[in-house]
Amino acid sequence: MPSFPNTFNFKKQIIGIFLLISGFLWAQTKEEDSLEIDSLIALTNHYNRSYETVKLLEASKKLLTISQKNNNEKGLAMGNFWIAFCLSNSGNYTQSNNYLKKIETQKSYLNKNKSFATNVFSLEGVNYQRLGFYTLAAKSIHRALHIIKNSTSENKKDQELYERSAYVNLSNLYNATKTQDSAYYYLNKKKNLTLNGDYLERTYLFNGFGYYHINNKNIDSANFYYQKSLKEFDGKADHYYKADAMRGLGNVLFEQKKYPEALDIYLKALESYKQMNVWNNEYD
């Protein structure tokens, strides 16, 4: 009598081979997605540094979609953050904070990446400030400052960078609430850490001092700092800090009743913001 293979065992073998192939293909797909996520994270960082806001938003949305499919922790955090960043820059502060709240549920990732956590709470605080929720703004920015000051990171340069950013955010917040002594205090805290900063760090500081002095009607001092800020951009690429300094100088000219000159520089600042697809009402 001819012998036939055991049908049950044969099916098991086929199923086993199918599962092996499926597992291999799944692992390969996941690895490819992981590489694409890393590539997109690098791309979003590049678009942020080059102020290509539209491309940054597009890449961030793609990053978030792929990360959601793979439940990639880093990709989810970075995708949500850059979308929040773009929304904030376009004046959509509530929507921006909605994306930041999603990141705040990723407690394990925030605990692993203190610098990133600082950025999340700083942006949240800035958004609250621009919405007029000053108590919430102070809470978020102080939380960011607490995180970075208690970080055990060995990268002291980055740690100081985030600390300086928190100080200037607090200064702007206290300027907005007319708490001038506190505003000046935090500007000087930043100044003590900015001696070796790059030109963008210095211009951010100078703009902060200019804003402080214009609020206190110290017009000559405001003019000094805005001119100092603009001088830093001689021979350098455009940046919205430069547009901020131009707008501040426009405020100086307005206070001096030099209205045609003020209008001219306001228009130049506006054109600069438009070219970078950025609107900054930090100094409104």
Side-chain angles (χ1 to χ4, degrees):
M1 180 181 290
S3 61
F4 295 96
N6 185 307
T7 305
F8 178 73
N9 288 336
F10 184 61
K11 285 181 177 178
K12 280 176 66 179
Q13 288 175 331
I14 292 174
I15 291 169
I17 292 169
F18 174 76
L19 290 173
L20 282 171
I21 292 171
S22 298
F24 172 76
L25 291 174
W26 177 82
Q28 188 177 37
T29 301
K30 189 167 184 180
E31 184 179 355
E32 288 172 356
D33 284 347
S34 181
L35 289 172
E36 187 172 6
I37 286 168
D38 288 342
S39 175
L40 283 167
I41 288 172
L43 195 60
T44 54
N45 288 330
H46 166 74
Y47 287 146
N48 175 51
R49 286 192 298 270
S50 56
Y51 317 111
E52 297 178 81
T53 310
V54 175
K55 289 181 180 179
L56 173 59
L57 182 58
E58 290 171 354
S60 301
K61 287 179 177 178
K62 188 175 181 181
L63 171 61
L64 189 58
T65 299
I66 296 171
S67 299
Q68 285 171 336
K69 185 175 70 174
N70 292 275
N71 197 28
N72 184 289
E73 190 177 47
K74 183 177 181 181
L76 286 169
M78 298 303 295
N80 279 312
F81 178 79
W82 286 123
I83 291 173
F85 178 81
C86 291
L87 287 168
S88 180
N89 275 350
S90 60
N92 297 299
Y93 309 121
T94 300
Q95 287 178 275
S96 175
N97 273 357
N98 288 340
Y99 278 90
L100 295 174
K101 291 297 182 188
K102 294 177 184 179
I103 304 171
E104 289 173 29
T105 65
Q106 297 180 244
K107 297 187 186 301
S108 63
Y109 185 74
L110 292 176
N111 286 333
K112 285 186 290 187
N113 193 332
K114 301 294 187 183
S115 298
F116 179 73
T118 302
N119 277 339
V120 169
F121 290 110
S122 288
L123 181 58
E124 180 182 70
V126 169
N127 285 337
Y128 278 136
Q129 179 192 331
R130 293 171 181 177
L131 288 166
F133 301 137
Y134 298 126
T135 302
L136 290 173
K139 183 179 177 181
S140 294
I141 300 170
H142 276 291
R143 186 173 181 181
L145 183 59
H146 175 78
I147 290 169
I148 204 62
K149 285 184 72 103
N150 289 279
S151 170
T152 56
S153 169
E154 294 180 2
N155 192 335
K156 297 302 179 186
K157 185 177 179 181
D158 278 356
Q159 193 169 342
E160 283 196 358
L161 172 66
Y162 294 120
E163 191 176 340
R164 290 194 296 267
S165 178
Y167 286 144
V168 84
N169 287 336
L170 284 169
S171 174
N172 291 338
L173 171 62
Y174 290 121
N175 263 318
T177 57
K178 308 301 181 186
T179 317
Q180 303 301 335
D181 288 346
S182 295
Y184 195 68
Y185 169 79
Y186 283 110
L187 273 177
N188 279 298
K189 291 279 283 186
K190 176 180 168 60
K191 183 179 180 181
N192 293 335
L193 291 171
T194 310
L195 296 176
N196 297 317
D198 65 12
Y199 77 99
L200 290 177
E201 279 290 300
R202 291 191 295 273
T203 54
Y204 196 27
L205 177 67
F206 297 152
N207 288 345
F209 272 113
Y211 182 55
Y212 167 80
H213 285 298
I214 200 81
N215 275 349
N216 285 280
K217 303 299 181 184
N218 302 322
I219 307 306
D220 289 343
S221 295
N223 182 58
F224 170 80
Y225 280 107
Y226 287 130
Q227 294 286 3
K228 201 172 175 67
S229 180
L230 289 171
K231 185 71 176 173
E232 290 280 350
F233 286 99
D234 286 352
K236 297 184 180 75
D238 207 1
H239 189 280
Y240 70 86
Y241 289 178
K242 181 180 179 180
D244 290 342
M246 291 166 66
R247 183 155 55 121
L249 191 56
N251 292 338
V252 168
L253 292 166
F254 185 88
E255 291 292 335
Q256 293 173 335
K257 303 189 185 306
K258 298 177 181 177
Y259 301 123
E261 294 95 328
L263 178 60
D264 182 59
I265 202 162
Y266 281 146
L267 291 172
K268 287 178 181 176
L270 181 60
E271 183 59 29
S272 185
Y273 285 129
K274 283 182 178 178
Q275 286 177 2
M276 289 177 282
N277 290 299
V278 168
W279 174 247
N280 185 13
N281 73 349
E282 189 169 357
Y283 300 112
D284 283 356

